[in-house]
Amino acid sequence: MSHTAELIAVGTELLLGNIANTDAQMLSQGLSALGINVYYHTVVGDNPDRLRAAVELARTRADIIITTGGLGPTCDDLTKNVLAQCFGRQLVFHEPSARRIEAYFQRLHPNRPMTDNNYQQAMLPEGCTVLDNDWGTAPGVAFEADGVRVIMLPGPPRECEAMFTHRVVPYLRDLADGVIVSRTLKLFGIGESSMEAQLRERMNAMTNPTLAPYAKEGECELRITAKAADERAAHALIDPVEADLKVHFGPLVYGVDIPSLEAAVFALLKEKGFTLGTAESCTGGLVAKRMTDLAGVSSMFRGGVVSYATEVKHTVLGVDQDLLDQYGAVSEPVARAMAEGARKVLGCDLAISTTGVAGPDPDERGNPVGLVFIGLATPDGTWVRKVNLSMGRQRIRHIAASHGFDLARRYLSGLELK
């Protein structure tokens, strides 16, 4: 039997945007791995009537309801009360949970008396399965009523994740109807609309596995998802789809289940034993930052020069003053010279350069906002890519940096540079 879960997050702070609902993401991923479908996420403030309405709706469309938050000791912690009322359960005092809460406070605050309102956390629905909380005070709760399984978890992400992993997963494992496995292809150099147009008929015809496109900042993802009896069978369903997509999109695919373009470049640098350096103008060090955000990159990344001022391009990177005077800082010849200068100054195998107009206004030569030249100097020569970007200063800088990584990735993979 296939099971459907609905997640209900309780807390006005979520609706106000004071905190992000990271619990929902974690739970959805975990339930998917168990083969349990999650069709709805609901967020409700600390209001009993609205929470009751959300629960009544959820029980009509899901056979597993998981709540997060609202199990604490204060007056706005109302989840147990409302859920117990909805499913006709009395709240009763659970002595073992009370003793665990006392022990927790004694361990953490030996010189501070525990306030009586903390005993409210030991009031649990009669006949429930108690999910002991070794990471906080409020115990979790699980029970079945009217064909629905109800699970209540504390809201703090550290507690919620540990409780789900060590308490809920064993509880739900017997319900699991196979597994759901996803694999994500990462693409750079194609827009989401173009990608979707090429795949629309195919995606609409697919049932298992399914294929879904996602737009990221300057790049795209294709997520293949399969449901099967076990992971091996799910991967067998995914494999031919992945192979087909790689043939279809060719060098636009820069990796599978890889976090970023820079991570792909890092892996290739490591494989080849090459080093990298940067010479940046309009990106202001973003290429270097994204590279050095990766753990272990120190053996591959030599350093970077942020040559924002024109004179720095000349004095530090050795860009010929005649090039700067004739073509201006935002030009193909200067991008080429910057990359070659960085390779020489930094003593690296590859060097990425960026020079362009990030905005908000055109430069002194009238070059438009979004015009960027990205260079790559290598032992085999230097290449420069010209791009015209849009959608704001930060996006221009981010995508320009991504183009630099894409050039490096293509060179290291033996692909055509263009």
Side-chain angles (χ1 to χ4, degrees):
M1 176 184 174
S2 182
H3 293 277
T4 301
E6 177 157 349
L7 309 182
I8 302 178
V10 183
T12 301
E13 67 276 12
L14 294 169
L15 293 175
L16 293 175
N18 294 337
I19 61 172
N21 187 12
T22 57
D23 290 342
Q25 180 183 27
M26 178 274 298
L27 290 171
S28 289
Q29 291 170 344
L31 290 167
S32 178
L34 289 172
I36 296 171
N37 302 305
V38 179
Y39 288 161
Y40 299 97
H41 286 188
T42 300
V43 181
V44 186
D46 300 311
N47 178 284
D49 293 333
R50 287 193 285 273
L51 176 55
R52 189 175 295 107
V55 173
E56 293 298 341
L57 176 60
R59 68 193 297 181
T60 68
R61 60 191 186 185
D63 62 345
I64 299 172
I65 297 174
I66 300 180
T67 68
T68 55
L71 302 184
T74 60
C75 60
D76 59 351
D77 290 312
L78 46 83
T79 303
K80 280 181 301 184
N81 302 61
V82 173
L83 271 288
Q85 291 170 12
C86 287
F87 289 93
R89 297 274 177 132
Q90 295 292 319
L91 292 179
V92 296
F93 186 72
H94 189 249
E95 190 76 29
S97 289
R99 301 291 81 82
R100 289 177 69 89
I101 294 168
E102 290 171 347
Y104 182 90
F105 273 91
Q106 181 60 32
R107 190 166 65 250
L108 262 65
H109 309 292
N111 300 316
R112 187 193 309 169
M114 186 182 86
T115 56
D116 288 342
N117 59 350
N118 281 286
Y119 288 109
Q120 175 182 314
Q121 298 171 100
M123 297 295 294
L124 306 178
E126 189 173 16
C128 71
T129 297
V130 180
L131 307 175
D132 292 331
N133 185 352
D134 290 331
W135 305 271
T137 55
V141 168
F143 64 83
E144 185 175 5
D146 304 328
V148 178
R149 290 180 185 266
V150 177
I151 298 169
M152 292 179 257
L153 295 174
R158 182 182 68 87
E159 294 180 44
C160 188
E161 183 169 9
M163 291 280 284
F164 178 77
T165 301
H166 299 287
R167 302 288 184 260
V168 177
V169 169
Y171 177 80
L172 290 177
R173 189 167 278 133
D174 290 341
L175 297 179
D177 179 30
V179 297
I180 298 173
V181 174
S182 292
R183 199 178 300 169
T184 302
L185 275 67
K186 302 297 236 0
L187 296 87
F188 183 81
I190 186 171
E192 184 192 24
S193 58
S194 176
M195 182 176 69
E196 194 271 346
Q198 296 179 42
L199 298 174
R200 181 176 302 168
E201 288 187 13
R202 180 175 183 173
M203 288 190 296
N204 289 338
M206 294 174 69
T207 55
N208 189 28
T210 58
L211 185 61
Y214 297 91
K216 299 295 181 181
E217 190 66 75
E219 56 184 82
C220 296
E221 295 181 358
L222 280 170
R223 185 169 300 163
I224 314 165
T225 303
K227 187 168 184 177
D230 53 45
E231 284 197 18
R232 190 177 201 177
H235 283 296
L237 291 170
I238 291 172
D239 287 342
V241 179
E242 177 191 329
D244 216 25
L245 291 170
K246 283 181 173 177
V247 170
H248 181 87
F249 289 107
L252 296 176
V253 178
Y254 72 78
V256 178
D257 289 337
I258 192 167
S260 62
L261 264 169
E262 55 266 34
V265 171
F266 177 33
L268 289 166
L269 288 169
K270 197 171 181 179
E271 178 187 319
K272 305 285 186 183
F274 281 13
T275 56
L276 177 71
T278 60
E280 301 182 64
S281 184
C282 62
T283 50
L286 183 57
V287 180
K289 182 214 178 287
R290 285 172 58 178
M291 202 70 202
T292 54
D293 279 345
L294 303 172
V297 79
S298 58
S299 60
M300 305 295 163
F301 186 70
R302 294 283 294 168
V305 176
V306 180
S307 54
Y308 215 63
T310 300
E311 57 265 31
V312 177
K313 294 177 176 66
H314 173 60
T315 58
V316 177
L317 293 173
V319 178
D320 193 297
Q321 188 62 49
D322 289 340
L323 286 179
L324 292 164
D325 293 341
Q326 182 177 354
Y327 298 102
V330 180
S331 63
E332 185 274 341
V334 169
R336 182 181 299 274
M338 287 172 63
E340 292 171 350
R343 187 166 178 262
K344 181 178 180 180
V345 168
L346 298 170
C348 50
D349 297 301
L350 309 182
I352 295 169
S353 68
T354 62
T355 180
V357 186
D361 302 308
D363 70 2
E364 66 279 0
R365 287 181 176 243
N367 288 314
V369 173
L371 174 64
V372 184
F373 294 90
I374 303 99
L376 177 71
T378 79
D380 301 309
T382 304
W383 288 264
V384 177
R385 180 183 290 177
K386 175 184 176 181
V387 296
N388 288 282
L389 307 172
S390 60
M391 301 292 288
R393 181 179 177 82
Q394 295 311 313
R395 188 171 187 272
I396 290 169
R397 286 156 50 94
H398 181 87
I399 297 176
S402 293
H403 276 283
F405 289 124
D406 186 56
L407 280 172
R409 188 262 310 184
R410 285 173 175 264
Y411 173 80
L412 291 166
S413 301
L415 299 170
E416 180 184 2
L417 275 79
K418 58 180 183 177

